[in-house]
Amino acid sequence: MANYHNLSNEALQEKYNTLQDAYEKIASQQLQLDMTRGKPCTEQLDLSQPMLDVLTSASAVKTENGLDARNYGILDGIPEAKAFFASILDVSPEQVIVGGNSSLTMMHDSIVQFLLHGVSEDAAPWVKQGNVKFLCPSPGYDRHFAICEALGIEMIPVAMTPEGPNMDEVEKLAAADPQIKGIWCVPKYSNPDGITYTDNVVDRLATMKTAADDFRIFWDNAYTVHHLTDEPDELKDIITAASKAGNSDRVLQFASTSKVTFPGSGVSVLASSESNIAFYKKNLSIQSIGPDKLNQLRHVAFLKDKATLADHMKKHAAIIAPKFQTVLSILNEKLGGKGIADWTNPNGGYFISLNTMEGCAKQVVELAKKAGVTLTSAGATYPYGKDPYDANIRIAPTLPPIQDLKKAIDVLCLCVEMVSINHLLHK
Ligand code: PMP
């Protein structure tokens, strides 16, 4: 395939005209394809349908310590759910709070608590310490950035590398500025790049010097069991690494079953040091009388243990891995070798990250929208919605049926080619 950077303007113009004809044909079909968010498809949701049938008898609604799960109580989660998540996250049940339906809510609440009450009994509230800043490895998860923006936390973008955040940058910034109170991390199959942090990155995060003694790592391990291949990535356990380095309170690890069972009706979990868990629980006691224990019971009865969960996740992979392959093969066929885009090939998670030439992503998304394909807004993967390179587009392949997915990625590739050629012609 010819690299477009080596073509004459005449050859580029000729290609553009052909692509424009194809685009107009597709646009006239009035497609309505939504590729915006990483949602599981119906077949994936169907995998967990039997979970809704497990609490049918009177004994089924009792927790293992004999409490009636239909009533108030047990603020930090039922014992069997704590044991289940502790085994998945390699911590002790005392280091776990099992919550409600959303880990994002737990992250948001943790930050609000730190702003208002500080990170522990004897720490000053962040709001009383001046301008609070967070390090934001980018591209990253737009909803993390939305929390910071809504709560007035200044975001400092840090580049992502194939090994995780650029640690030279992270260490330098965190050591120099006591106003930097935290960092967002999606350490496994990151959103959107699908990167798993290397052991070296995990160790450096766990051990680095921070100017703020109330610095916290928000370790959003949302995709910890969401493999797409039989050779899953391994992520080093940061809670142990931080604890060994004398930083046992530094890390708050979050996860949920949103993309294991039912998004919106899953179970969330926070794992951290026992002292952080005690403090979170104290604040939580003002907010809630207890979580949805029936849903926790359902989840433990259905997902049972590590091995059962792993089998369940393989069924997810069997449904979605072909969708990822479809996207990758179209990208390869349509854009490969042209020098106008590159993309990730993740071993897990929910996204493929596409990078156009600088200054093209916004126009690509707009052009695709006009042809009936809605993509995540360009820029959404960066703090304040501003991608300094205007290059990153997040592709979420899981939701659409494969035929729709093919159409949507065809349109996307067409738009990438058109915008790139335009860019090259007007350089
Ligand atoms: N973290 C990441 C990295 C995510 O991609 C998502 C969902 N797309 C969430 C958190 C949301 O999790 P929950 O449903 O538990 O709030």
Side-chain angles (χ1 to χ4, degrees):
M1 197 67 68
N3 186 313
Y4 281 8
H5 296 263
N6 303 331
L7 295 185
S8 67
N9 281 3
E10 291 68 35
L12 285 172
Q13 188 64 55
E14 204 176 304
K15 280 200 180 292
Y16 189 87
N17 295 345
T18 314
L19 293 163
Q20 194 165 31
D21 287 347
Y23 177 84
E24 269 155 27
K25 251 192 213 143
I26 289 182
S28 72
Q29 291 176 19
Q30 298 190 316
L31 298 174
Q32 280 191 328
L33 302 171
D34 184 353
M35 298 280 297
T36 50
R37 299 231 65 102
K39 291 184 187 171
C41 62
T42 310
E43 294 92 310
Q44 288 178 273
L45 300 175
D46 288 344
L47 295 174
S48 301
Q49 187 65 23
M51 187 177 76
L52 297 181
D53 296 327
V54 298
L55 301 186
T56 48
S57 69
S59 61
V61 293
K62 290 263 165 66
T63 64
E64 70 181 20
N65 56 350
L67 285 165
D68 191 330
R70 296 171 301 181
N71 217 331
Y72 274 143
I74 324 192
L75 190 59
D76 50 354
I78 62 174
E80 51 270 63
K82 289 179 73 162
F84 171 75
F85 283 110
S87 80
I88 307 300
L89 299 176
D90 278 330
V91 291
S92 72
E94 292 72 33
Q95 287 177 277
V96 157
I97 287 205
V98 184
N101 71 328
S102 162
S103 60
L104 194 69
T105 302
M106 284 180 128
M107 296 175 226
H108 175 272
D109 287 351
S110 299
I111 294 186
V112 171
Q113 287 163 14
F114 296 168
L115 284 165
L116 297 179
H117 306 302
V119 296
S120 64
E121 284 308 339
D122 43 352
W126 284 352
V127 282
K128 294 212 171 140
Q129 299 185 54
N131 186 27
V132 176
K133 304 177 194 172
F134 260 53
L135 300 177
C136 297
S138 305
Y141 180 35
D142 56 348
R143 291 186 193 271
H144 289 162
F145 304 154
I147 290 177
C148 282
E149 200 167 352
L151 297 176
I153 295 175
E154 185 183 328
M155 290 180 271
I156 304 175
V158 171
M160 276 296 278
T161 78
E163 310 198 326
N166 179 329
M167 283 309 298
D168 291 343
E169 261 184 81
V170 169
E171 284 167 346
K172 198 165 125 209
L173 289 162
D177 187 351
Q179 297 309 121
I180 296 180
K181 300 292 186 192
I183 181 168
W184 286 113
C185 296
V186 183
K188 195 157 174 187
Y189 307 134
S190 66
N191 180 347
D193 287 333
I195 286 164
T196 298
Y197 293 12
T198 60
D199 290 1
N200 180 43
V201 165
V202 173
D203 282 332
R204 287 173 76 176
L205 284 165
T207 58
M208 69 184 181
K209 285 207 168 57
T210 61
D213 55 13
D214 51 358
F215 181 92
R216 292 291 181 264
I217 296 174
F218 285 75
W219 198 248
D220 180 0
N221 209 353
Y223 298 108
T224 182
V225 291
H226 303 61
H227 317 298
L228 286 167
T229 75
D230 291 333
E231 284 167 33
D233 292 357
E234 294 280 345
L235 174 67
K236 184 165 178 171
D237 168 15
I238 195 171
I239 291 188
T240 305
S243 171
K244 276 191 190 146
N247 298 322
S248 58
D249 292 334
R250 178 176 287 184
V251 182
L252 297 152
Q253 175 164 204
F254 302 88
S256 79
T257 66
S258 287
K259 288 167 182 173
V260 175
T261 56
F262 302 132
S265 306
V267 173
S268 61
V269 58
L270 163 63
S272 192
S273 65
E274 287 188 41
S275 55
N276 280 348
I277 291 295
F279 189 60
Y280 184 92
K281 194 171 159 184
K282 184 182 162 203
N283 290 317
L284 184 65
S285 71
I286 307 301
Q287 243 185 306
S288 170
I289 312 174
D292 178 349
K293 296 181 297 299
L294 291 172
N295 202 27
Q296 295 185 5
L297 264 182
R298 267 188 220 112
H299 274 79
V300 181
F302 180 63
L303 297 172
K304 290 192 177 70
D305 50 31
K306 237 178 172 166
T308 313
L309 172 65
D311 281 349
H312 180 75
M313 295 315 292
K314 280 195 178 141
K315 294 179 194 158
H316 277 285
I319 297 168
I320 63 175
K323 295 189 176 188
F324 278 76
Q325 280 317 318
T326 298
V327 174
L328 291 168
S329 71
I330 298 175
L331 290 173
N332 213 16
E333 180 197 330
K334 300 268 160 96
L335 304 178
K338 293 181 176 169
I340 53 175
D342 57 59
W343 50 90
T344 55
N345 180 0
N347 288 333
Y350 259 60
F351 304 102
I352 291 168
S353 193
L354 173 73
N355 290 303
T356 64
M357 292 192 309
E358 275 190 37
C360 291
K362 264 208 169 77
Q363 285 176 49
V364 168
V365 171
E366 276 163 23
L367 199 60
K369 175 97 186 158
K370 283 193 196 136
V373 176
T374 316
L375 297 154
T376 309
S377 318
T381 53
Y382 280 77
Y384 308 105
K386 286 189 192 133
D387 174 354
Y389 312 104
D390 185 21
N392 188 245
I393 297 174
R394 187 179 84 165
I395 303 176
T398 55
L399 182 66
I402 235 148
Q403 284 317 319
D404 288 355
L405 187 61
K406 278 186 182 155
K407 276 190 208 150
I409 302 302
D410 277 344
V411 170
L412 171 61
C413 290
L414 196 53
C415 296
V416 170
E417 283 206 77
M418 287 172 72
V419 173
S420 306
I421 292 179
N422 224 343
H423 204 78
L424 289 169
L425 282 172
H426 296 103
K427 222 169 35 175

